[in-house]
Amino acid sequence: MDLFKPMDNLDDKTDGQNKQVEEREHVKCLIIGSGPAGYTAAIYSARANMEPVLYQGMEPGGQLTITTDVENFPGYPDGISGPALMEDLKKQAERFGTDIRWGSATAVDFSRIPHKVTIDDKKVIEADTVIIATGASAKYLGIPAEKKYAGSGVSACATCDGFFYKGKDVAVVGGGDTACEEALYLAGLARKVYMIVRKPHLRASKIMQHRVMNTPNIEILFEHNTKDLFGDGVVEGAVLIKKKGTPGEEEVKIKIDGFFLAIGHKPNSDIFQEYIETDDIGYIKTIPGTARTNVEGVFACGDVQDRVYRQAVTAAGTGCMAAIESERYWAEKYAQTK
Ligand code: NDP
């Protein structure tokens, strides 16, 4: 990597947001994010001599580090744990020389080339190409009780926190694959697991539906919405509304010790939105069939740009696309001059 390469604006000591910064560095390829998309992009970029620098972000390894068994990633006939899969991908990226670092992108300036990305509010990286692989984060219902009991009974990760609810009663909100997975995991620890599902049916795949319905200590509360949580310092129960908005509407209380959110994810695209086009939810728009964004030299891959599939394997696939396209872009634009 080339440190302190000449730039057209050397006197500018801000990050593009008019904040003073402490350090600068120039790289050929900057990868933001360390899920399957980021690490796959790193493997391909490193093997193509793009000397990638990868910042791991707030959740190193991404969402798979908080999941249990991954049974659908090709190449693992017996399944693999999420953290083990991410460790393998990390090692593979390191083997080809990826510079993997702690830190998160906190601001960007894509208004001119080279693009600027600020890390942890204090260091600016100037990058010829940027690969955004920041993924998505768990969504919350938005009720005040979630904040009130954060870390005291409210969680968005059964694998991380399930252990604390051994022999206790818990609830999981949501009816998708994540909710089923969380409920099944918790069913192995807790005495009883309620699934709070707002529709009269589950959205999850048939195999997951079959598993939860055949687990004796899981009870599915269809057509229930969460109104509030109660408890003295820690969660002791939830107030639910059954058949909301119908003549049969009814308030129901359940006694629980843990309340787990599994209602989907929000793409982590906030810091890019000034420059990068997103859809109404915030998913980055890429040119169909490519990993290109509306900004030259900036590519996106993985869950931050995928509102449809959101799978580890599709994230890895788009990570590969982003790396190949960024290398081709770099070769066309810079190979003669550097
Ligand atoms: P989904 O978007 O598939 O499901 C979200 C669930 O939460 C839905 O049941 C939805 O209800 C419910 N929900 C959303 N907002 C609220 C709210 N405000 N109040 C109450 N309920 C709410 O997200 P997942 O995270 O489950 O899955 C994302 C993707 O990842 C999917 O494609 C899934 O198949 C995949 N996945 C695959 C796994 C695997 O194969 N092992 C494991 C986990 C995920 P409604 O149905 O009414 O909209």
Side-chain angles (χ1 to χ4, degrees), residues 147-184:
K147 277 204 179 119
K148 183 175 169 190
Y149 295 106
S152 303
V154 172
S155 168
C157 175
T159 327
C160 317
D161 301 324
F163 180 76
F164 302 114
Y165 300 94
K166 259 187 173 171
K168 298 187 173 176
D169 295 346
V170 298
V172 176
V173 189
D177 279 324
T178 305
C180 291
E181 208 175 65
E182 302 274 88
L184 287 163

Side-chain angles (χ1 to χ4, degrees), residues 67 69-72 139-141 173-181 196-199 201-205 208 224-226 262-265 308-311:
T67 197
D69 288 343
V70 180
E71 295 178 338
N72 51 13
K139 282 202 292 201
Y140 286 79
L141 294 170
V173 189
D177 279 324
T178 305
C180 291
E181 208 175 65
I196 304 170
V197 179
R198 65 181 175 182
K199 290 221 171 104
H201 51 80
L202 295 172
R203 180 197 286 225
S205 53
M208 295 305 268
H224 282 69
N225 279 278
T226 311
I263 59 167
H265 293 84
V308 181
Y309 304 105
R310 295 174 292 179
Q311 300 298 300

